[in-house]
Amino acid sequence: MQNYDVIVIGGGHAGVEAASASARRGAKTLLMTMAESDLGALSCNPSIGGPGKSQMVAEMSVLGGVMGRAADRAGIHWRTLNATHGAATQALRAQIDRNLYHDAIVDILSEHKNLDIKYEAVSDLDIKKKTVNNAYAAKSIVLTTGTFLHGVVTRGDEKISSGRLQDDGTYQAADKNISDVLRAAGFKILRLKTGTPARIYRDSINWDACEIQEPDSPHDWFDLGDENNNYHCPCYITHTNETTHNVIRENIKNAPMYNGDIVGTGPRYCPSLEDKVMRFPEHTSHHVFLEPEGYNSDIIYPNGISTSFGRDIQDKWIRTIPGLENARIARYGYAIEYDAIDARALNDKLQSKDLPYMFMAGQINGTSGYEEAAAQGLVAGANAAAYALGIDYLGLDRTNAMIGVLIDDITTLGVDEPYRMFTSRAEYRLNLRADNAIARLGEMGVRLGLLSADTYEKLYDKKRDIIAENDKFYAGYIARNEREIAAYKRDANMKIPTDFKYDNLPGLTNELIEKLNTVRPENIADLARIPGMTPAGIMVVLRKIKN
């Protein structure tokens, strides 16, 4: 039996960050995953960042995380989204070269001298004994299993037991054991669904029929930057049309999402094309973003048209899209169903309330997206090391980190669909900007051993002038935000009467009133965690209670 402080199961974005964070804190760590290709695999859209997501990447960077460093090395198309909007909603997004990103992840992980990586499936997990495969034992375990728990890939009539279709066209086997072990241990198991579009050969696209989208030049970086990265790759935009939509409507009975073949709940904010067409009949077209999978790759990712239709129907409607009339399909799209836990079984450290040596991160907690998974991985790994070594935990909350908003939402309210981060979910988003992450969390990162003092100084120097200018420009708003945060912390434990009436309170939308009447928060802290709840809404309820 080989003994470790921390064992991390799963080598995707959550697993990579968990293993790295645990190792950085001094824990003897084992990362277990099925294949070397799992490490940092961009299994869906090869991009990093975007609204709400780039803020979390910045927070990971100032806590010593891996994702920002790897993205800086592998980015091939950079844009600042919402550039004309306020600083709180601006977001950096980069198209990523799949192979360069994987290589960067492998290289960064090799820096950790107390991290072992084993490429083997988990055939036996004994939660009580804290052992894996009767060969490895640990003081704490982190589960980052992605879509592999009882994963089922569906494409039309095809159903394959798998957690992912790999780049070479083969399917990685699903795990048929771990979710049963978790269920037996008392965890509530959910069934969720996500999907991905077809991949198209670059040379089969008529680029003249598409709108070019050039990257920003110069551009910002997620981390310290990489002067050796001079890749420049344009993206393109085209659109679906009524012909596309008619093919989908005529064949909707063959869509697994509509004929009952798929029972898992999909992400509302990243719907399949068939969902878009059926749910929004007033829209006569939808954007299709044609994004390269690498600087020299011959494969294009058509962002915006994920699907569960069979191959024959995908062939039909894809070729109705301008520029794709002669498209050759490299890999067809598919949906995937998988098991997840109800994250309300975890505390804000992503630690099981009943089994304190168990930590969970990523899609197993009901989230969707690389950044959401990686952010949880960093927190879970840092805290698994804390449990194993008896050192301080990493504590993030709604007032100091976008990652804290994510964790608070899923562990307090749970999910009924795959959770995706948006800036609108954060009541104090003006304070939780990407550009001031080092000022908010950098010293914490150094104190907990997650970030070196040297890197802290470099990151702070890079952002010093920007922080000063942003804070000066938004001084009045920031001061009000800080007063609201102080009031939130002061009144967080105030009880809300069980018969409290939310109806007709000014400042609360009908949707929010419906949520409040359903959830019935016990105190102001719980109230503030309701997605969509604003500081103004909190003050309305506070005044009503006090009166």
Side-chain angles (χ1 to χ4, degrees):
M1 188 73 72
Q2 296 182 45
N3 293 299
Y4 290 89
D5 295 314
V6 177
I7 294 177
V8 178
I9 296 174
H13 301 284
V16 162
E17 293 289 354
S20 176
S22 172
R24 292 199 306 277
R25 299 206 72 187
K28 184 181 179 184
T29 306
L30 171 63
L31 172 59
M32 295 185 68
T33 193
M34 286 186 280
E36 198 260 3
S37 59
D38 294 341
L39 299 176
L42 297 159
S43 53
C44 197
N45 184 15
S47 70
I48 299 291
K53 295 171 178 278
S54 64
Q55 288 87 339
M56 291 192 295
V57 177
E59 291 169 355
M60 284 186 273
S61 287
V62 304
L63 294 171
V66 174
M67 179 170 272
R69 291 176 62 191
D72 280 0
R73 296 189 197 181
I76 59 176
H77 181 280
W78 299 79
R79 292 184 68 224
T80 296
L81 308 181
N82 302 323
T84 60
H85 296 188
T89 59
Q90 291 178 8
L92 181 64
R93 182 185 185 275
Q95 195 67 20
I96 303 293
D97 184 298
R98 288 186 187 278
N99 295 330
L100 291 176
Y101 189 84
H102 168 76
D103 293 346
I105 292 292
V106 172
D107 184 53
I108 293 169
L109 290 182
S110 71
E111 298 172 1
H112 304 309
K113 303 305 180 186
N114 54 340
L115 171 61
D116 291 343
I117 303 177
K118 303 283 187 182
Y119 300 114
E120 63 179 271
V122 174
S123 57
D124 184 272
L125 171 63
D126 191 320
I127 287 181
K128 291 183 179 179
K129 293 181 180 179
K130 292 178 281 185
T131 62
V132 182
N133 292 355
N134 295 311
Y136 314 105
K139 297 174 184 175
S140 59
I141 295 174
V142 185
L143 291 181
T144 68
T145 49
T147 60
F148 281 84
L149 300 188
H150 284 287
V152 175
V153 165
T154 299
R155 183 194 290 124
D157 294 333
E158 297 178 77
K159 276 192 178 292
I160 302 103
S161 176
S162 172
R164 177 170 61 225
L165 176 61
Q166 301 185 101
D167 289 345
D168 63 4
T170 61
Y171 292 94
Q172 265 189 313
D175 181 278
K176 298 181 179 180
N177 176 49
I178 292 177
S179 56
D180 295 335
V181 172
L182 294 174
R183 186 181 285 107
F187 289 92
K188 180 182 176 182
I189 303 298
L190 313 175
R191 194 68 173 163
L192 299 176
K193 171 260 176 188
T194 188
T196 192
R199 310 301 198 271
I200 301 172
Y201 284 108
R202 181 193 293 264
D203 62 5
S204 70
I205 297 174
N206 174 15
W207 297 106
D208 291 337
C210 307
E211 173 191 345
I212 193 169
Q213 188 180 51
E214 295 284 1
D216 291 346
S217 182
H219 64 79
D220 199 0
W221 302 91
F222 287 116
D223 203 276
L224 285 171
D226 190 331
E227 61 184 17
N228 295 314
N229 182 346
N230 294 309
Y231 302 109
H232 173 98
C233 221
C235 295
Y236 291 81
I237 302 173
T238 183
H239 302 83
T240 65
N241 51 56
E242 274 299 285
T243 303
T244 316
H245 299 182
N246 285 335
V247 174
I248 289 173
R249 292 187 190 104
E250 290 166 3
N251 291 278
I252 198 64
K253 64 180 183 299
N254 298 312
M257 281 294 294
Y258 281 81
N259 64 17
D261 278 358
I262 290 178
V263 297
T265 306
R268 186 185 353 163
Y269 298 107
C270 190
S272 64
L273 183 59
E274 49 263 40
D275 259 357
K276 292 179 185 177
V277 170
M278 302 307 293
R279 287 167 49 190
F280 307 107
E282 69 277 12
H283 293 290
T284 57
S285 69
H286 296 282
H287 284 84
V288 183
F289 299 91
L290 301 175
E291 300 171 333
E293 295 211 338
Y295 185 66
N296 293 313
S297 174
D298 61 350
I299 303 297
I300 296 295
Y301 182 98
N303 191 0
I305 55 171
S306 67
T307 186
S308 62
F309 272 120
R311 300 166 192 251
D312 55 339
I313 299 174
Q314 289 188 49
D315 278 330
K316 289 179 182 177
W317 62 253
I318 285 174
R319 291 175 182 144
T320 67
I321 298 171
L324 306 184
E325 294 89 348
N326 299 306
R328 289 185 293 115
I329 309 301
R331 291 188 300 280
Y332 288 87
Y334 61 86
I336 181 166
E337 294 179 278
Y338 56 95
D339 287 348
I341 68 159
D342 184 339
R344 288 175 293 188
L346 309 178
N347 63 21
D348 61 356
K349 310 298 187 294
L350 294 179
Q351 176 183 39
S352 168
K353 294 174 182 176
D354 295 329
L355 304 171
Y357 48 84
M358 293 293 300
F359 296 79
M360 319 279 188
Q363 284 174 290
I364 192 173
N365 289 341
T367 59
S368 172
Y370 307 143
E371 301 84 357
E372 289 86 345
Q376 293 172 72
L378 190 153
V379 172
N383 288 327
Y387 179 88
L389 302 177
I391 56 179
D392 288 345
Y393 283 89
L394 168 62
L396 303 177
D397 60 40
R398 303 187 76 85
T399 68
N400 67 7
M402 196 70 75
I403 299 172
V405 175
L406 160 66
I407 292 173
D408 191 55
D409 280 351
I410 64 173
T411 59
T412 301
L413 299 173
V415 303
D416 54 13
E417 63 180 77
Y419 178 101
R420 184 178 179 184
M421 175 52 73
F422 297 102
T423 49
S424 59
R425 294 189 187 274
E427 0 5 3
Y428 309 117
R429 53 188 169 273
L430 190 55
N431 281 50
L432 306 182
R433 309 185 308 275
D435 60 31
N436 72 353
I438 186 65
R440 290 185 280 117
L441 302 174
E443 290 183 358
M444 180 190 298
V446 174
R447 177 173 58 82
L448 296 179
L450 290 165
L451 181 71
S452 72
D454 179 61
T455 303
Y456 169 78
E457 291 296 332
K458 290 178 181 177
L459 285 167
Y460 205 101
D461 284 346
K462 177 185 174 186
K463 296 293 185 181
R464 191 184 307 273
D465 292 341
I466 296 174
I467 294 170
E469 188 63 27
N470 258 292
D471 286 352
K472 179 181 177 181
F473 187 78
Y474 292 101
Y477 297 102
I478 291 172
R480 185 178 71 184
N481 236 11
E482 289 174 347
R483 290 194 300 271
E484 290 167 348
I485 290 172
Y488 161 74
K489 291 181 175 179
R490 184 177 62 248
D491 296 319
N493 294 320
M494 180 178 291
K495 295 291 183 182
I496 299 176
T498 56
D499 60 348
F500 187 83
K501 306 296 185 186
Y502 296 99
D503 300 309
N504 302 318
L505 282 182
L508 301 183
T509 65
N510 291 333
E511 181 184 9
L512 196 50
I513 290 170
E514 183 178 347
K515 285 183 183 178
L516 291 167
N517 285 328
T518 300
V519 176
R520 302 304 304 179
E522 294 184 4
N523 54 37
I524 295 299
D526 290 345
L527 175 83
R529 296 181 181 109
I530 305 292
M533 177 55 72
T534 64
I538 295 169
M539 294 308 298
V540 167
V541 175
L542 268 173
R543 282 196 294 269
K544 181 73 172 178
I545 294 172
K546 290 178 178 179
N547 288 340

